[in-house]
């Protein structure tokens, strides 16, 4: 059974839309943990579009399960992580103009840089995961880098699932997962997983954690809507 890591970035997206104090990702993380989340994931992006440094610093104190910091492999972020000491650092590619993390890290092309980041972080006791496409060349690069974990980007599978033809993408992920486990890597997965497409991925053997954000946040808004409107209605009804 994989663990569930909940990515709470979009709680902060909503807050930043108004530069207000609410909704507070720290409060959201506590609710996620109360509901059974095994970990909390946040991505501190260079453009600070959602999660802010103060959120991560507070979360480091309040998260009682497992704090996974997604980050670019830059010197500034490596310093930040070394000070913060998250339970895991997931290295992701980052482009300012992208809507979300749109592809895996090209660990094969950036091997020296990524290996340096892995050494800096793992050398100080922070396990590193590389967010990569489920491709053999990327798995080989992850092995060379010394990272303890890989996280396979499931975006292509998620899209294929909703197009009605998930088999080829699913097989690609399953093959990469089996190979990675045999080579001694721990395997996480995430991106685009939702209430319709998650089961086959959750049933794969030997997956340590699934990281899921957007679909959970989208559902939370809808399942919470009646309560939120009802509470306000009671206040304005005199
Ligand atoms: N894993 C990683 C490395 C990510 O960058 C993201 C998106 O921020 C996710 C998982 C979660 O993706 P989604 O929001 O589509 O569930």
């Amino acid at each position: 059974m994989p663990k569930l890591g909940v990515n709470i970035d979009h709680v902060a997206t909503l807050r930043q839309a108004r530069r207000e104090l609410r909704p507070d990702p720290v409060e959201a993380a506590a609710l996620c943990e109360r509901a059974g989340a095994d970990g909390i994931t946040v991505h501190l992006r260079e453009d600070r579009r959602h999660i802010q440094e103060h959120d991560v610093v507070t979360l480091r104190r309040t998260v009682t399960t497992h704090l996974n910091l997604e980050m670019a492999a830059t010197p500034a972020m490596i310093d930040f992580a070394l000070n913060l000491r998250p339970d895991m650092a997931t290295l992701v590619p980052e482009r300012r103009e992208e809507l979300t993390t749109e592809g895996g890290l090209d660990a094969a092309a950036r091997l020296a840089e990524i290996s340096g980041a892995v050494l800096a972080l793992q050398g100080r006791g922070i396990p590193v995961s590389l967010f990569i496409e489920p491709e053999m060349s990327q798995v080989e690069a992850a092995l060379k880098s010394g990272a303890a974990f890989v996280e396979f980007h499931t975006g292509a599978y998620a899209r294929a699932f909703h197009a009605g033809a998930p088999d080829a993408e699913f097989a690609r992920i399953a093959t990469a997962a089996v190979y990675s486990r045999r080579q001694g890597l721990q395997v996480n997965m995430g991106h685009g997983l939702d209430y319709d497409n998650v089961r086959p991925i959750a049933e794969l053997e030997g997956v340590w954690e699934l990281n899921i954000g957007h679909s959970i946040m989208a559902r939370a808004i809808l399942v919470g809507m009646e309560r939120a409107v009802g509470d306000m209605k009671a206040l304005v009804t005199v």
Side-chain angles (χ1 to χ4, degrees):
M1 282 252 301
K3 295 177 187 299
L4 173 62
V6 180
N7 181 315
I8 58 169
D9 290 346
H10 292 316
V11 176
T13 302
L14 192 54
R15 177 192 63 191
Q16 294 308 109
R18 293 286 285 268
R19 304 283 191 275
E20 295 282 358
L21 297 176
R22 292 201 171 109
D24 180 4
V26 174
E27 269 180 72
L31 292 172
C32 293
E33 289 186 313
R34 209 193 301 164
D38 301 297
I40 300 297
T41 296
V42 287
H43 184 177
L44 184 62
R45 295 185 75 103
E46 190 197 3
D47 63 12
R48 303 293 193 266
R49 67 173 74 161
H50 40 52
I51 291 290
Q52 308 293 307
E53 277 174 53
H54 66 83
D55 294 321
V56 191
V57 169
T58 308
L59 286 165
R60 177 60 296 183
R61 279 194 288 103
T62 60
V63 166
T64 59
T65 51
H66 181 265
L67 181 64
N68 175 20
L69 177 66
E70 289 180 12
M71 52 179 269
T74 61
M77 279 309 307
I78 292 168
D79 279 352
F80 180 83
L82 290 174
N83 283 323
L84 183 81
R85 306 204 59 76
D87 298 303
M88 175 178 291
T90 299
L91 301 183
V92 300
E94 221 177 84
R95 283 187 296 119
R96 272 183 178 254
E97 66 276 18
E98 69 190 353
L99 291 178
T100 177
T101 313
E102 280 163 11
L105 193 67
D106 194 347
R110 296 171 57 191
L111 187 56
E113 180 196 353
I114 299 300
S115 301
V118 171
L119 186 64
L121 292 160
Q122 290 194 164
R124 300 272 295 278
I126 302 169
V128 175
S129 178
L130 303 186
F131 186 48
I132 57 174
E133 295 294 328
E135 284 167 12
M136 287 307 156
S137 59
Q138 297 299 339
V139 175
E140 293 299 344
L143 284 164
K144 284 187 195 142
S145 79
F149 286 76
V150 287
E151 177 174 335
F152 289 126
H153 194 306
T154 49
Y157 158 77
R159 279 193 303 279
F161 183 96
H162 287 293
D167 294 356
E169 285 300 334
F170 182 76
R172 209 159 73 94
I173 291 172
T175 305
V178 168
Y179 181 73
S180 301
R181 295 284 297 125
R182 276 200 198 126
Q183 298 300 316
L185 285 163
Q186 295 285 352
V187 173
N188 295 337
M189 299 196 184
H191 212 281
L193 297 177
D194 63 26
Y195 296 84
D196 298 316
N197 64 24
V198 74
R199 278 305 301 180
I201 295 288
E203 283 166 5
L204 282 169
E205 251 177 62
V207 178
W208 194 75
E209 183 173 71
L210 302 181
N211 281 308
I212 307 182
H214 186 266
S215 63
I216 295 176
M217 298 305 127
R219 186 167 163 86
I221 288 174
L222 292 188
V223 301
M225 192 63 79
E226 282 189 40
R227 166 83 190 273
V229 173
D231 288 352
M232 187 59 80
K233 180 76 177 171
L235 287 171
V236 302
T237 305
V238 283

